[in-house]
Amino acid sequence: QLQLVESGGGLVQPGGSLRLSCTVSGLPLGDTTIGWFRQAPGKEREGVSCSAIGGGGTNFAGSVKGRFTISRDKAKNTVYLQMDSLVPEDTGVYYCAARFRDTCVMEASNYVGWGQGTQVTVSS
């Protein structure tokens, strides 16, 4: 059964960094496109980044482009979201989810297997 577990969130000061992990079980990572999403209090869930199957590319929301990077470790069946130069607007619960197509899209309705989320708080 497909299961995704996020970790790595926490409290960080503006300008700081965090690395989130999304560990996949139940399927090889090579068969899944992984998307990262976030939801701030009172706001809708929004796409942050995605990494497509088989080197099919990556995508980033405009608000994080140049600050966030996404990578895969096939041996660990894990996708990482490296977040640098964090700003308070990055605060929210971060989720990862899977998509069984080789295209990187940023709409949550295209994904399944949502994890429980990890809280990221950027504050001084």
Side-chain angles (χ1 to χ4, degrees), residues 19-22 29 32-37 48-52 57-60 64 66-73 78-84 95-97 104 106 111:
R19 189 178 76 161
L20 304 184
S21 300
C22 173
L29 186 60
T32 55
T33 287
I34 298 296
W36 280 100
F37 299 81
V48 175
S49 181
C50 57
S51 169
T58 59
N59 199 3
F60 296 90
V64 307
R67 300 189 296 120
F68 290 12
T69 57
I70 191 168
S71 61
R72 291 174 172 243
D73 185 333
T78 298
V79 174
Y80 300 103
L81 184 68
Q82 177 68 41
M83 307 188 297
D84 299 320
Y95 301 88
C96 64
C104 203
M106 302 283 274
Y111 289 81

PDB file of all heavy atoms in Angstrom, residues 19-22 29 32-37 48-52 57-60 64 66-73 78-84 95-97 104 106 111:
ATOM      1  N   ARG A  19      15.535  21.294   5.427  1.00  0.00           N
ATOM      2  CA  ARG A  19      15.409  20.258   4.411  1.00  0.00           C
ATOM      3  C   ARG A  19      14.300  19.304   4.833  1.00  0.00           C
ATOM      4  O   ARG A  19      14.396  18.655   5.879  1.00  0.00           O
ATOM      5  CB  ARG A  19      16.714  19.485   4.215  1.00  0.00           C
ATOM      6  CG  ARG A  19      16.635  18.553   3.006  1.00  0.00           C
ATOM      7  CD  ARG A  19      17.932  17.795   2.754  1.00  0.00           C
ATOM      8  NE  ARG A  19      18.134  16.690   3.686  1.00  0.00           N
ATOM      9  CZ  ARG A  19      18.960  15.675   3.464  1.00  0.00           C
ATOM     10  NH1 ARG A  19      19.662  15.634   2.340  1.00  0.00           N
ATOM     11  NH2 ARG A  19      19.104  14.729   4.371  1.00  0.00           N
ATOM     12  N   LEU A  20      13.282  19.249   4.004  1.00  0.00           N
ATOM     13  CA  LEU A  20      12.177  18.338   4.245  1.00  0.00           C
ATOM     14  C   LEU A  20      12.422  17.028   3.500  1.00  0.00           C
ATOM     15  O   LEU A  20      12.992  17.034   2.401  1.00  0.00           O
ATOM     16  CB  LEU A  20      10.859  18.948   3.783  1.00  0.00           C
ATOM     17  CG  LEU A  20      10.486  20.316   4.371  1.00  0.00           C
ATOM     18  CD1 LEU A  20       9.100  20.730   3.879  1.00  0.00           C
ATOM     19  CD2 LEU A  20      10.568  20.333   5.867  1.00  0.00           C
ATOM     20  N   SER A  21      11.948  15.934   4.098  1.00  0.00           N
ATOM     21  CA  SER A  21      12.065  14.623   3.475  1.00  0.00           C
ATOM     22  C   SER A  21      10.669  14.034   3.268  1.00  0.00           C
ATOM     23  O   SER A  21       9.782  14.216   4.108  1.00  0.00           O
ATOM     24  CB  SER A  21      12.868  13.673   4.371  1.00  0.00           C
ATOM     25  OG  SER A  21      14.170  14.157   4.595  1.00  0.00           O
ATOM     26  N   CYS A  22      10.521  13.345   2.167  1.00  0.00           N
ATOM     27  CA  CYS A  22       9.291  12.604   1.871  1.00  0.00           C
ATOM     28  C   CYS A  22       9.713  11.174   1.552  1.00  0.00           C
ATOM     29  O   CYS A  22      10.277  10.919   0.482  1.00  0.00           O
ATOM     30  CB  CYS A  22       8.565  13.236   0.698  1.00  0.00           C
ATOM     31  SG  CYS A  22       7.121  12.290   0.122  1.00  0.00           S
ATOM     32  N   LEU A  29      10.287   4.476  -5.871  1.00  0.00           N
ATOM     33  CA  LEU A  29      10.248   5.907  -6.144  1.00  0.00           C
ATOM     34  C   LEU A  29      10.296   6.188  -7.636  1.00  0.00           C
ATOM     35  O   LEU A  29       9.732   7.173  -8.116  1.00  0.00           O
ATOM     36  CB  LEU A  29      11.410   6.589  -5.429  1.00  0.00           C
ATOM     37  CG  LEU A  29      11.451   8.105  -5.478  1.00  0.00           C
ATOM     38  CD1 LEU A  29      10.204   8.708  -4.858  1.00  0.00           C
ATOM     39  CD2 LEU A  29      12.699   8.628  -4.794  1.00  0.00           C
ATOM     40  N   THR A  32       6.952   6.935  -9.403  1.00  0.00           N
ATOM     41  CA  THR A  32       6.059   7.988  -8.905  1.00  0.00           C
ATOM     42  C   THR A  32       6.636   9.374  -9.117  1.00  0.00           C
ATOM     43  O   THR A  32       7.810   9.623  -8.846  1.00  0.00           O
ATOM     44  CB  THR A  32       5.768   7.817  -7.407  1.00  0.00           C
ATOM     45  OG1 THR A  32       7.010   7.756  -6.688  1.00  0.00           O
ATOM     46  CG2 THR A  32       4.973   6.557  -7.134  1.00  0.00           C
ATOM     47  N   THR A  33       5.815  10.261  -9.600  1.00  0.00           N
ATOM     48  CA  THR A  33       6.099  11.689  -9.542  1.00  0.00           C
ATOM     49  C   THR A  33       5.683  12.158  -8.153  1.00  0.00           C
ATOM     50  O   THR A  33       4.613  11.782  -7.656  1.00  0.00           O
ATOM     51  CB  THR A  33       5.304  12.438 -10.621  1.00  0.00           C
ATOM     52  OG1 THR A  33       5.881  12.152 -11.893  1.00  0.00           O
ATOM     53  CG2 THR A  33       5.297  13.943 -10.390  1.00  0.00           C
ATOM     54  N   ILE A  34       6.539  12.948  -7.520  1.00  0.00           N
ATOM     55  CA  ILE A  34       6.263  13.431  -6.172  1.00  0.00           C
ATOM     56  C   ILE A  34       6.060  14.939  -6.190  1.00  0.00           C
ATOM     57  O   ILE A  34       6.859  15.671  -6.799  1.00  0.00           O
ATOM     58  CB  ILE A  34       7.414  13.085  -5.216  1.00  0.00           C
ATOM     59  CG1 ILE A  34       7.578  11.564  -5.113  1.00  0.00           C
ATOM     60  CG2 ILE A  34       7.174  13.702  -3.842  1.00  0.00           C
ATOM     61  CD1 ILE A  34       6.400  10.848  -4.499  1.00  0.00           C
ATOM     62  N   GLY A  35       5.016  15.369  -5.529  1.00  0.00           N
ATOM     63  CA  GLY A  35       4.743  16.791  -5.405  1.00  0.00           C
ATOM     64  C   GLY A  35       4.809  17.222  -3.959  1.00  0.00           C
ATOM     65  O   GLY A  35       4.452  16.468  -3.058  1.00  0.00           O
ATOM     66  N   TRP A  36       5.294  18.432  -3.751  1.00  0.00           N
ATOM     67  CA  TRP A  36       5.278  19.071  -2.441  1.00  0.00           C
ATOM     68  C   TRP A  36       4.242  20.194  -2.470  1.00  0.00           C
ATOM     69  O   TRP A  36       4.211  20.989  -3.419  1.00  0.00           O
ATOM     70  CB  TRP A  36       6.645  19.641  -2.089  1.00  0.00           C
ATOM     71  CG  TRP A  36       7.645  18.661  -1.576  1.00  0.00           C
ATOM     72  CD1 TRP A  36       8.658  18.074  -2.266  1.00  0.00           C
ATOM     73  CD2 TRP A  36       7.738  18.162  -0.242  1.00  0.00           C
ATOM     74  NE1 TRP A  36       9.368  17.242  -1.450  1.00  0.00           N
ATOM     75  CE2 TRP A  36       8.829  17.280  -0.195  1.00  0.00           C
ATOM     76  CE3 TRP A  36       7.011  18.380   0.932  1.00  0.00           C
ATOM     77  CZ2 TRP A  36       9.214  16.601   0.966  1.00  0.00           C
ATOM     78  CZ3 TRP A  36       7.382  17.716   2.093  1.00  0.00           C
ATOM     79  CH2 TRP A  36       8.471  16.849   2.098  1.00  0.00           C
ATOM     80  N   PHE A  37       3.467  20.265  -1.402  1.00  0.00           N
ATOM     81  CA  PHE A  37       2.428  21.279  -1.281  1.00  0.00           C
ATOM     82  C   PHE A  37       2.520  21.890   0.110  1.00  0.00           C
ATOM     83  O   PHE A  37       3.104  21.301   1.013  1.00  0.00           O
ATOM     84  CB  PHE A  37       1.046  20.659  -1.491  1.00  0.00           C
ATOM     85  CG  PHE A  37       0.877  20.046  -2.858  1.00  0.00           C
ATOM     86  CD1 PHE A  37       1.363  18.783  -3.127  1.00  0.00           C
ATOM     87  CD2 PHE A  37       0.248  20.753  -3.870  1.00  0.00           C
ATOM     88  CE1 PHE A  37       1.230  18.220  -4.390  1.00  0.00           C
ATOM     89  CE2 PHE A  37       0.103  20.206  -5.133  1.00  0.00           C
ATOM     90  CZ  PHE A  37       0.601  18.933  -5.384  1.00  0.00           C
ATOM     91  N   VAL A  48       4.067  23.633  -4.326  1.00  0.00           N
ATOM     92  CA  VAL A  48       5.369  24.246  -4.083  1.00  0.00           C
ATOM     93  C   VAL A  48       6.394  23.763  -5.106  1.00  0.00           C
ATOM     94  O   VAL A  48       7.101  24.563  -5.713  1.00  0.00           O
ATOM     95  CB  VAL A  48       5.854  23.924  -2.656  1.00  0.00           C
ATOM     96  CG1 VAL A  48       7.273  24.457  -2.434  1.00  0.00           C
ATOM     97  CG2 VAL A  48       4.893  24.487  -1.626  1.00  0.00           C
ATOM     98  N   SER A  49       6.452  22.439  -5.295  1.00  0.00           N
ATOM     99  CA  SER A  49       7.445  21.874  -6.199  1.00  0.00           C
ATOM    100  C   SER A  49       7.039  20.462  -6.554  1.00  0.00           C
ATOM    101  O   SER A  49       6.225  19.842  -5.867  1.00  0.00           O
ATOM    102  CB  SER A  49       8.823  21.875  -5.530  1.00  0.00           C
ATOM    103  OG  SER A  49       9.805  21.346  -6.401  1.00  0.00           O
ATOM    104  N   CYS A  50       7.614  19.948  -7.637  1.00  0.00           N
ATOM    105  CA  CYS A  50       7.400  18.546  -7.975  1.00  0.00           C
ATOM    106  C   CYS A  50       8.602  18.003  -8.718  1.00  0.00           C
ATOM    107  O   CYS A  50       9.372  18.764  -9.330  1.00  0.00           O
ATOM    108  CB  CYS A  50       6.119  18.342  -8.770  1.00  0.00           C
ATOM    109  SG  CYS A  50       6.010  19.280 -10.283  1.00  0.00           S
ATOM    110  N   SER A  51       8.739  16.678  -8.642  1.00  0.00           N
ATOM    111  CA  SER A  51       9.826  15.969  -9.307  1.00  0.00           C
ATOM    112  C   SER A  51       9.210  14.807 -10.049  1.00  0.00           C
ATOM    113  O   SER A  51       8.573  13.937  -9.435  1.00  0.00           O
ATOM    114  CB  SER A  51      10.823  15.472  -8.260  1.00  0.00           C
ATOM    115  OG  SER A  51      11.758  14.577  -8.833  1.00  0.00           O
ATOM    116  N   ALA A  52       9.363  14.789 -11.370  1.00  0.00           N
ATOM    117  CA  ALA A  52       8.672  13.807 -12.190  1.00  0.00           C
ATOM    118  C   ALA A  52       9.465  12.507 -12.311  1.00  0.00           C
ATOM    119  O   ALA A  52      10.670  12.456 -12.099  1.00  0.00           O
ATOM    120  CB  ALA A  52       8.402  14.386 -13.571  1.00  0.00           C
ATOM    121  N   GLY A  57      11.694  15.918 -15.186  1.00  0.00           N
ATOM    122  CA  GLY A  57      11.768  17.337 -14.914  1.00  0.00           C
ATOM    123  C   GLY A  57      11.259  17.702 -13.552  1.00  0.00           C
ATOM    124  O   GLY A  57      10.713  16.878 -12.819  1.00  0.00           O
ATOM    125  N   THR A  58      11.474  18.954 -13.213  1.00  0.00           N
ATOM    126  CA  THR A  58      11.023  19.502 -11.943  1.00  0.00           C
ATOM    127  C   THR A  58      10.268  20.794 -12.209  1.00  0.00           C
ATOM    128  O   THR A  58      10.350  21.371 -13.302  1.00  0.00           O
ATOM    129  CB  THR A  58      12.202  19.783 -11.004  1.00  0.00           C
ATOM    130  OG1 THR A  58      13.092  20.715 -11.635  1.00  0.00           O
ATOM    131  CG2 THR A  58      12.976  18.510 -10.692  1.00  0.00           C
ATOM    132  N   ASN A  59       9.544  21.237 -11.202  1.00  0.00           N
ATOM    133  CA  ASN A  59       8.796  22.477 -11.329  1.00  0.00           C
ATOM    134  C   ASN A  59       8.740  23.136  -9.960  1.00  0.00           C
ATOM    135  O   ASN A  59       8.804  22.452  -8.926  1.00  0.00           O
ATOM    136  CB  ASN A  59       7.386  22.189 -11.849  1.00  0.00           C
ATOM    137  CG  ASN A  59       6.733  23.425 -12.438  1.00  0.00           C
ATOM    138  OD1 ASN A  59       7.350  24.483 -12.516  1.00  0.00           O
ATOM    139  ND2 ASN A  59       5.484  23.292 -12.851  1.00  0.00           N
ATOM    140  N   PHE A  60       8.641  24.449  -9.960  1.00  0.00           N
ATOM    141  CA  PHE A  60       8.604  25.197  -8.709  1.00  0.00           C
ATOM    142  C   PHE A  60       7.583  26.319  -8.827  1.00  0.00           C
ATOM    143  O   PHE A  60       7.435  26.935  -9.896  1.00  0.00           O
ATOM    144  CB  PHE A  60       9.982  25.808  -8.386  1.00  0.00           C
ATOM    145  CG  PHE A  60      11.052  24.787  -8.138  1.00  0.00           C
ATOM    146  CD1 PHE A  60      11.817  24.309  -9.193  1.00  0.00           C
ATOM    147  CD2 PHE A  60      11.285  24.305  -6.870  1.00  0.00           C
ATOM    148  CE1 PHE A  60      12.793  23.354  -8.981  1.00  0.00           C
ATOM    149  CE2 PHE A  60      12.268  23.350  -6.643  1.00  0.00           C
ATOM    150  CZ  PHE A  60      13.016  22.877  -7.707  1.00  0.00           C
ATOM    151  N   VAL A  64       8.860  30.420  -4.771  1.00  0.00           N
ATOM    152  CA  VAL A  64       9.989  29.703  -4.168  1.00  0.00           C
ATOM    153  C   VAL A  64      11.115  29.477  -5.155  1.00  0.00           C
ATOM    154  O   VAL A  64      12.189  28.981  -4.766  1.00  0.00           O
ATOM    155  CB  VAL A  64       9.549  28.347  -3.571  1.00  0.00           C
ATOM    156  CG1 VAL A  64       8.379  28.539  -2.620  1.00  0.00           C
ATOM    157  CG2 VAL A  64       9.202  27.344  -4.652  1.00  0.00           C
ATOM    158  N   GLY A  66      14.305  29.600  -7.171  1.00  0.00           N
ATOM    159  CA  GLY A  66      15.600  30.172  -6.828  1.00  0.00           C
ATOM    160  C   GLY A  66      15.968  30.014  -5.361  1.00  0.00           C
ATOM    161  O   GLY A  66      17.122  30.237  -4.985  1.00  0.00           O
ATOM    162  N   ARG A  67      15.009  29.638  -4.550  1.00  0.00           N
ATOM    163  CA  ARG A  67      15.272  29.435  -3.111  1.00  0.00           C
ATOM    164  C   ARG A  67      15.132  27.965  -2.704  1.00  0.00           C
ATOM    165  O   ARG A  67      15.806  27.512  -1.781  1.00  0.00           O
ATOM    166  CB  ARG A  67      14.297  30.273  -2.276  1.00  0.00           C
ATOM    167  CG  ARG A  67      14.384  31.758  -2.536  1.00  0.00           C
ATOM    168  CD  ARG A  67      13.553  32.551  -1.528  1.00  0.00           C
ATOM    169  NE  ARG A  67      12.125  32.265  -1.635  1.00  0.00           N
ATOM    170  CZ  ARG A  67      11.399  31.772  -0.629  1.00  0.00           C
ATOM    171  NH1 ARG A  67      11.951  31.508   0.539  1.00  0.00           N
ATOM    172  NH2 ARG A  67      10.095  31.554  -0.794  1.00  0.00           N
ATOM    173  N   PHE A  68      14.257  27.229  -3.368  1.00  0.00           N
ATOM    174  CA  PHE A  68      14.004  25.825  -3.041  1.00  0.00           C
ATOM    175  C   PHE A  68      14.577  24.939  -4.143  1.00  0.00           C
ATOM    176  O   PHE A  68      14.561  25.301  -5.325  1.00  0.00           O
ATOM    177  CB  PHE A  68      12.509  25.552  -2.932  1.00  0.00           C
ATOM    178  CG  PHE A  68      11.809  26.163  -1.741  1.00  0.00           C
ATOM    179  CD1 PHE A  68      12.422  27.127  -0.948  1.00  0.00           C
ATOM    180  CD2 PHE A  68      10.532  25.763  -1.418  1.00  0.00           C
ATOM    181  CE1 PHE A  68      11.772  27.684   0.130  1.00  0.00           C
ATOM    182  CE2 PHE A  68       9.861  26.308  -0.338  1.00  0.00           C
ATOM    183  CZ  PHE A  68      10.475  27.272   0.440  1.00  0.00           C
ATOM    184  N   THR A  69      15.063  23.783  -3.764  1.00  0.00           N
ATOM    185  CA  THR A  69      15.479  22.764  -4.723  1.00  0.00           C
ATOM    186  C   THR A  69      14.858  21.433  -4.307  1.00  0.00           C
ATOM    187  O   THR A  69      14.557  21.220  -3.131  1.00  0.00           O
ATOM    188  CB  THR A  69      17.006  22.632  -4.807  1.00  0.00           C
ATOM    189  OG1 THR A  69      17.532  22.350  -3.500  1.00  0.00           O
ATOM    190  CG2 THR A  69      17.649  23.887  -5.352  1.00  0.00           C
ATOM    191  N   ILE A  70      14.696  20.548  -5.290  1.00  0.00           N
ATOM    192  CA  ILE A  70      14.089  19.242  -5.033  1.00  0.00           C
ATOM    193  C   ILE A  70      15.022  18.181  -5.595  1.00  0.00           C
ATOM    194  O   ILE A  70      15.620  18.364  -6.659  1.00  0.00           O
ATOM    195  CB  ILE A  70      12.673  19.154  -5.653  1.00  0.00           C
ATOM    196  CG1 ILE A  70      11.940  17.909  -5.165  1.00  0.00           C
ATOM    197  CG2 ILE A  70      12.722  19.238  -7.172  1.00  0.00           C
ATOM    198  CD1 ILE A  70      10.448  17.921  -5.511  1.00  0.00           C
ATOM    199  N   SER A  71      15.153  17.079  -4.868  1.00  0.00           N
ATOM    200  CA  SER A  71      16.052  16.013  -5.308  1.00  0.00           C
ATOM    201  C   SER A  71      15.507  14.669  -4.855  1.00  0.00           C
ATOM    202  O   SER A  71      14.650  14.597  -3.968  1.00  0.00           O
ATOM    203  CB  SER A  71      17.460  16.240  -4.747  1.00  0.00           C
ATOM    204  OG  SER A  71      17.449  16.230  -3.333  1.00  0.00           O
ATOM    205  N   ARG A  72      16.023  13.608  -5.496  1.00  0.00           N
ATOM    206  CA  ARG A  72      15.597  12.243  -5.182  1.00  0.00           C
ATOM    207  C   ARG A  72      16.783  11.397  -4.758  1.00  0.00           C
ATOM    208  O   ARG A  72      17.872  11.542  -5.325  1.00  0.00           O
ATOM    209  CB  ARG A  72      14.990  11.589  -6.434  1.00  0.00           C
ATOM    210  CG  ARG A  72      13.675  12.139  -6.882  1.00  0.00           C
ATOM    211  CD  ARG A  72      13.255  11.504  -8.205  1.00  0.00           C
ATOM    212  NE  ARG A  72      11.892  11.886  -8.542  1.00  0.00           N
ATOM    213  CZ  ARG A  72      10.876  11.049  -8.654  1.00  0.00           C
ATOM    214  NH1 ARG A  72      11.080   9.747  -8.457  1.00  0.00           N
ATOM    215  NH2 ARG A  72       9.668  11.471  -8.932  1.00  0.00           N
ATOM    216  N   ASP A  73      16.542  10.517  -3.817  1.00  0.00           N
ATOM    217  CA  ASP A  73      17.510   9.487  -3.441  1.00  0.00           C
ATOM    218  C   ASP A  73      16.801   8.154  -3.633  1.00  0.00           C
ATOM    219  O   ASP A  73      16.031   7.729  -2.781  1.00  0.00           O
ATOM    220  CB  ASP A  73      17.972   9.682  -1.999  1.00  0.00           C
ATOM    221  CG  ASP A  73      19.072   8.711  -1.603  1.00  0.00           C
ATOM    222  OD1 ASP A  73      19.143   7.607  -2.190  1.00  0.00           O
ATOM    223  OD2 ASP A  73      19.858   9.062  -0.711  1.00  0.00           O
ATOM    224  N   THR A  78      13.367   8.312  -1.169  1.00  0.00           N
ATOM    225  CA  THR A  78      13.052   9.576  -0.509  1.00  0.00           C
ATOM    226  C   THR A  78      13.257  10.744  -1.459  1.00  0.00           C
ATOM    227  O   THR A  78      14.214  10.752  -2.253  1.00  0.00           O
ATOM    228  CB  THR A  78      13.930   9.760   0.741  1.00  0.00           C
ATOM    229  OG1 THR A  78      13.637   8.704   1.674  1.00  0.00           O
ATOM    230  CG2 THR A  78      13.667  11.100   1.415  1.00  0.00           C
ATOM    231  N   VAL A  79      12.355  11.701  -1.375  1.00  0.00           N
ATOM    232  CA  VAL A  79      12.484  12.962  -2.101  1.00  0.00           C
ATOM    233  C   VAL A  79      12.706  14.071  -1.082  1.00  0.00           C
ATOM    234  O   VAL A  79      12.006  14.134  -0.060  1.00  0.00           O
ATOM    235  CB  VAL A  79      11.229  13.247  -2.949  1.00  0.00           C
ATOM    236  CG1 VAL A  79      11.309  14.637  -3.578  1.00  0.00           C
ATOM    237  CG2 VAL A  79      11.080  12.188  -4.036  1.00  0.00           C
ATOM    238  N   TYR A  80      13.664  14.927  -1.363  1.00  0.00           N
ATOM    239  CA  TYR A  80      14.011  16.014  -0.455  1.00  0.00           C
ATOM    240  C   TYR A  80      13.580  17.359  -1.033  1.00  0.00           C
ATOM    241  O   TYR A  80      13.681  17.588  -2.241  1.00  0.00           O
ATOM    242  CB  TYR A  80      15.518  16.046  -0.211  1.00  0.00           C
ATOM    243  CG  TYR A  80      16.048  14.770   0.393  1.00  0.00           C
ATOM    244  CD1 TYR A  80      16.721  13.838  -0.388  1.00  0.00           C
ATOM    245  CD2 TYR A  80      15.892  14.507   1.753  1.00  0.00           C
ATOM    246  CE1 TYR A  80      17.203  12.671   0.163  1.00  0.00           C
ATOM    247  CE2 TYR A  80      16.371  13.343   2.310  1.00  0.00           C
ATOM    248  CZ  TYR A  80      17.023  12.418   1.512  1.00  0.00           C
ATOM    249  OH  TYR A  80      17.505  11.264   2.061  1.00  0.00           O
ATOM    250  N   LEU A  81      13.141  18.232  -0.163  1.00  0.00           N
ATOM    251  CA  LEU A  81      12.872  19.616  -0.535  1.00  0.00           C
ATOM    252  C   LEU A  81      13.794  20.493   0.304  1.00  0.00           C
ATOM    253  O   LEU A  81      13.599  20.633   1.517  1.00  0.00           O
ATOM    254  CB  LEU A  81      11.413  19.994  -0.283  1.00  0.00           C
ATOM    255  CG  LEU A  81      11.010  21.394  -0.735  1.00  0.00           C
ATOM    256  CD1 LEU A  81      11.034  21.498  -2.255  1.00  0.00           C
ATOM    257  CD2 LEU A  81       9.622  21.777  -0.200  1.00  0.00           C
ATOM    258  N   GLN A  82      14.833  21.024  -0.332  1.00  0.00           N
ATOM    259  CA  GLN A  82      15.776  21.917   0.331  1.00  0.00           C
ATOM    260  C   GLN A  82      15.236  23.328   0.238  1.00  0.00           C
ATOM    261  O   GLN A  82      15.018  23.840  -0.864  1.00  0.00           O
ATOM    262  CB  GLN A  82      17.149  21.825  -0.315  1.00  0.00           C
ATOM    263  CG  GLN A  82      18.177  22.778   0.275  1.00  0.00           C
ATOM    264  CD  GLN A  82      18.551  22.433   1.697  1.00  0.00           C
ATOM    265  OE1 GLN A  82      18.719  21.269   2.039  1.00  0.00           O
ATOM    266  NE2 GLN A  82      18.705  23.453   2.548  1.00  0.00           N
ATOM    267  N   MET A  83      15.038  23.945   1.376  1.00  0.00           N
ATOM    268  CA  MET A  83      14.438  25.279   1.420  1.00  0.00           C
ATOM    269  C   MET A  83      15.444  26.254   2.023  1.00  0.00           C
ATOM    270  O   MET A  83      15.819  26.116   3.193  1.00  0.00           O
ATOM    271  CB  MET A  83      13.160  25.263   2.254  1.00  0.00           C
ATOM    272  CG  MET A  83      12.163  24.192   1.818  1.00  0.00           C
ATOM    273  SD  MET A  83      10.572  24.301   2.643  1.00  0.00           S
ATOM    274  CE  MET A  83      11.056  24.022   4.347  1.00  0.00           C
ATOM    275  N   ASP A  84      15.896  27.201   1.230  1.00  0.00           N
ATOM    276  CA  ASP A  84      16.866  28.204   1.665  1.00  0.00           C
ATOM    277  C   ASP A  84      16.241  29.594   1.632  1.00  0.00           C
ATOM    278  O   ASP A  84      15.203  29.801   1.003  1.00  0.00           O
ATOM    279  CB  ASP A  84      18.100  28.166   0.768  1.00  0.00           C
ATOM    280  CG  ASP A  84      18.818  26.840   0.809  1.00  0.00           C
ATOM    281  OD1 ASP A  84      18.928  26.262   1.908  1.00  0.00           O
ATOM    282  OD2 ASP A  84      19.270  26.364  -0.258  1.00  0.00           O
ATOM    283  N   TYR A  95       3.143  19.178   2.791  1.00  0.00           N
ATOM    284  CA  TYR A  95       2.713  17.829   2.480  1.00  0.00           C
ATOM    285  C   TYR A  95       3.405  17.336   1.217  1.00  0.00           C
ATOM    286  O   TYR A  95       3.705  18.123   0.316  1.00  0.00           O
ATOM    287  CB  TYR A  95       1.208  17.780   2.216  1.00  0.00           C
ATOM    288  CG  TYR A  95       0.325  18.257   3.347  1.00  0.00           C
ATOM    289  CD1 TYR A  95      -0.017  19.597   3.455  1.00  0.00           C
ATOM    290  CD2 TYR A  95      -0.171  17.356   4.281  1.00  0.00           C
ATOM    291  CE1 TYR A  95      -0.836  20.044   4.479  1.00  0.00           C
ATOM    292  CE2 TYR A  95      -0.994  17.788   5.307  1.00  0.00           C
ATOM    293  CZ  TYR A  95      -1.332  19.128   5.403  1.00  0.00           C
ATOM    294  OH  TYR A  95      -2.143  19.559   6.412  1.00  0.00           O
ATOM    295  N   CYS A  96       3.601  16.016   1.139  1.00  0.00           N
ATOM    296  CA  CYS A  96       4.002  15.436  -0.137  1.00  0.00           C
ATOM    297  C   CYS A  96       2.934  14.433  -0.565  1.00  0.00           C
ATOM    298  O   CYS A  96       2.165  13.921   0.265  1.00  0.00           O
ATOM    299  CB  CYS A  96       5.379  14.794  -0.065  1.00  0.00           C
ATOM    300  SG  CYS A  96       5.531  13.385   1.048  1.00  0.00           S
ATOM    301  N   ALA A  97       2.883  14.187  -1.863  1.00  0.00           N
ATOM    302  CA  ALA A  97       1.893  13.278  -2.421  1.00  0.00           C
ATOM    303  C   ALA A  97       2.441  12.724  -3.731  1.00  0.00           C
ATOM    304  O   ALA A  97       3.420  13.242  -4.281  1.00  0.00           O
ATOM    305  CB  ALA A  97       0.567  13.994  -2.639  1.00  0.00           C
ATOM    306  N   CYS A 104       5.080  16.750 -14.474  1.00  0.00           N
ATOM    307  CA  CYS A 104       5.169  17.459 -13.201  1.00  0.00           C
ATOM    308  C   CYS A 104       4.121  18.568 -13.182  1.00  0.00           C
ATOM    309  O   CYS A 104       4.324  19.604 -13.796  1.00  0.00           O
ATOM    310  CB  CYS A 104       6.584  18.024 -13.074  1.00  0.00           C
ATOM    311  SG  CYS A 104       7.108  18.333 -11.400  1.00  0.00           S
ATOM    312  N   MET A 106       1.259  20.946 -10.720  1.00  0.00           N
ATOM    313  CA  MET A 106       1.255  21.538  -9.393  1.00  0.00           C
ATOM    314  C   MET A 106      -0.145  21.625  -8.790  1.00  0.00           C
ATOM    315  O   MET A 106      -0.348  22.319  -7.816  1.00  0.00           O
ATOM    316  CB  MET A 106       1.853  22.945  -9.485  1.00  0.00           C
ATOM    317  CG  MET A 106       3.266  22.956 -10.049  1.00  0.00           C
ATOM    318  SD  MET A 106       4.479  22.425  -8.851  1.00  0.00           S
ATOM    319  CE  MET A 106       4.786  23.982  -8.042  1.00  0.00           C
ATOM    320  N   TYR A 111      -2.922  14.337  -7.377  1.00  0.00           N
ATOM    321  CA  TYR A 111      -2.057  13.543  -6.513  1.00  0.00           C
ATOM    322  C   TYR A 111      -2.856  12.702  -5.531  1.00  0.00           C
ATOM    323  O   TYR A 111      -3.978  13.055  -5.158  1.00  0.00           O
ATOM    324  CB  TYR A 111      -1.095  14.464  -5.751  1.00  0.00           C
ATOM    325  CG  TYR A 111      -0.030  15.080  -6.633  1.00  0.00           C
ATOM    326  CD1 TYR A 111      -0.313  16.195  -7.410  1.00  0.00           C
ATOM    327  CD2 TYR A 111       1.249  14.532  -6.696  1.00  0.00           C
ATOM    328  CE1 TYR A 111       0.653  16.751  -8.241  1.00  0.00           C
ATOM    329  CE2 TYR A 111       2.222  15.090  -7.503  1.00  0.00           C
ATOM    330  CZ  TYR A 111       1.912  16.200  -8.274  1.00  0.00           C
ATOM    331  OH  TYR A 111       2.877  16.734  -9.090  1.00  0.00           O
TER     332      TYR A 111
END
